[in-house]
Amino acid sequence: MRISKIETSNRQREGYPGLINYADIIIDSKSLFEMIAHKYDFVSCIGWGSIEFQEQQIARLLLRVDSDLPNNRNSIYICPACAD
């Protein structure tokens, strides 16, 4: 079994609602933003927003709280304007 390496990298996005610094998620040296999210102008759910928002996102990704999507799925990249 191969174990993937997961890390984050600081990234910036300019646009509505303004400049956002966020954490891009890198898996085996490949950016999820570059592979998928750039097509939709999304940012990852971590690395930006209030402390409370960050704590909620981390708890959700660590499966400590309920998922935010049906069928126990979790969003990883979200809209930078409304976090949807």
Side-chain angles (χ1 to χ4, degrees), residues 2-60:
R2 184 174 181 276
I3 297 175
S4 292
K5 180 180 177 184
I6 299 173
E7 56 191 316
T8 60
S9 176
N10 292 329
R11 195 169 188 122
Q12 287 189 334
R13 178 221 178 251
E14 180 69 51
Y16 182 80
L19 180 67
I20 295 178
N21 293 300
Y22 66 97
D24 188 14
I25 299 169
I26 313 295
I27 299 176
D28 294 333
S29 301
K30 296 178 184 171
S31 161
L32 285 184
F33 175 82
E34 294 295 330
M35 289 191 299
I36 300 167
H38 76 280
K39 298 175 190 174
Y40 307 101
D41 194 27
F42 288 166
V43 297
S44 76
C45 62
I46 55 176
W48 63 283
S50 68
I51 297 295
E52 179 181 51
F53 177 78
Q54 288 303 292
E55 289 172 348
Q56 291 169 352
Q57 301 308 304
I58 291 167
R60 185 175 54 75

